[in-house]
Amino acid sequence: MIPTESTNKNRIKNRVKNRIRTAAGFATLLMPTLLSGCGSSTMVQTETEASDGLISVAFSEVGAESDWRVANSESMRTTFTTENGYEFYFEDAKGKQENQITTLRNYILQGVDYIVLDPVIETGWDEVLEEAKDAGIPVIVVDRMVDVEDETLYTAWVGSDFQKEGEMAVEWLETYLEEQGRSEEEIKILHVTGTAGSSAQLGRTAGLENGVEAHENWEIIAQVAGEFTQAKAYEEVSEILQQTSDIDVIYCENDDSAFGAIQALEEAGITYGTDGDVILISFDATEAGLTACMEGKLNLNVECNPMHGPRVEEIIQQIEAGETPEKTQYVEETWFTPEMLTGELIESRGY
Ligand code: GYE
């Protein structure tokens, strides 16, 4: 729920701070973050606003590796605005967990009201989350999950069911091959994986691997690390194509890596998509991904919704109201094939 002006005013008025922050402490501790993120003029302004009762929300983002990620950052930025009653801190971890741990420790020192974490990988969070818990700062995990011993180390998680996404792709492939009269044929799959150990990779990979296990005639001929980027996927797929062109399906774990695969296929003179030799499957359904799908370049694009800002805000509002948010919140998702798409539909989705 996006707050109205009056709910914001009420919330700010009624807000009880359970941690004491001194203006001087804020100025010193926040300086590095604010200087790196927004410039010194913002710092002066923010300091004043902090004492006006804004809710401080400090986000640690994975990076800027993909179109999906850019849309996700934008969703957070446009939700946690001053007008909506927030003081927002943003750090890009450049794909490194150690950067996120440093950022989280800074946020804890600053005494922010909420930490929002989109973890690069699932493991290795116990210690720093314990520190946040000891400091009394609720941590909301978004998009990717954390794998921790003690579930009370974070307040709630909201994101996608990545394994279900993979299962949707497998189900679609099964039906598609049937329709093509190829269900008995040997199917050779090239698997382009995302960032190793991230929830999106783990889930989408599990979905595919279970699907391959269930079909005797399906085979994963190679698994290459596309790391969710076009450049890495291009490099890896090009290398495979130098060894073999006997590939029926390329399963790319996001749109950017699908673009890398397309680049490699074109260079190798191999046709793909609805009119070609190789079936291309992708995830995310970003604007560029769906456009490629509508053009028949991608046979299937499974949706993964990045607009998490309002969802995280709803969780924060529940906590502010003294309610207990649901611990695990999955976003409903679907999938798209070329004939389902129009320019209008793509534009209406907003990412
Ligand atoms: O699929 C990919 C991004 O975690 C769901 O990360 C996210 C994934 C998304 O880099 O494009």
Side-chain angles (χ1 to χ4, degrees), residues 62 64-69 118-120 142-144 160 162 165 195 198-201 204 227-229 253-257 283-284 286 304-306 308:
V62 167
E65 73 283 359
S66 63
D67 287 357
W68 188 100
R69 185 64 53 202
D118 190 331
V120 176
V142 64
D143 167 31
R144 301 179 181 179
S160 304
F162 301 112
E165 289 176 356
T195 303
S198 69
S199 307
Q201 178 271 316
R204 290 168 190 166
E227 289 171 9
F228 288 134
T229 69
E253 289 190 352
N254 79 338
D255 283 342
D256 299 73
S257 59
F283 295 83
D284 281 358
T286 56
C304 181
N305 194 306
H308 289 314

Side-chain angles (χ1 to χ4, degrees), residues 58-74:
F59 180 40
S60 172
E61 174 64 296
V62 167
E65 73 283 359
S66 63
D67 287 357
W68 188 100
R69 185 64 53 202
V70 172
N72 179 244
S73 298
E74 189 58 18

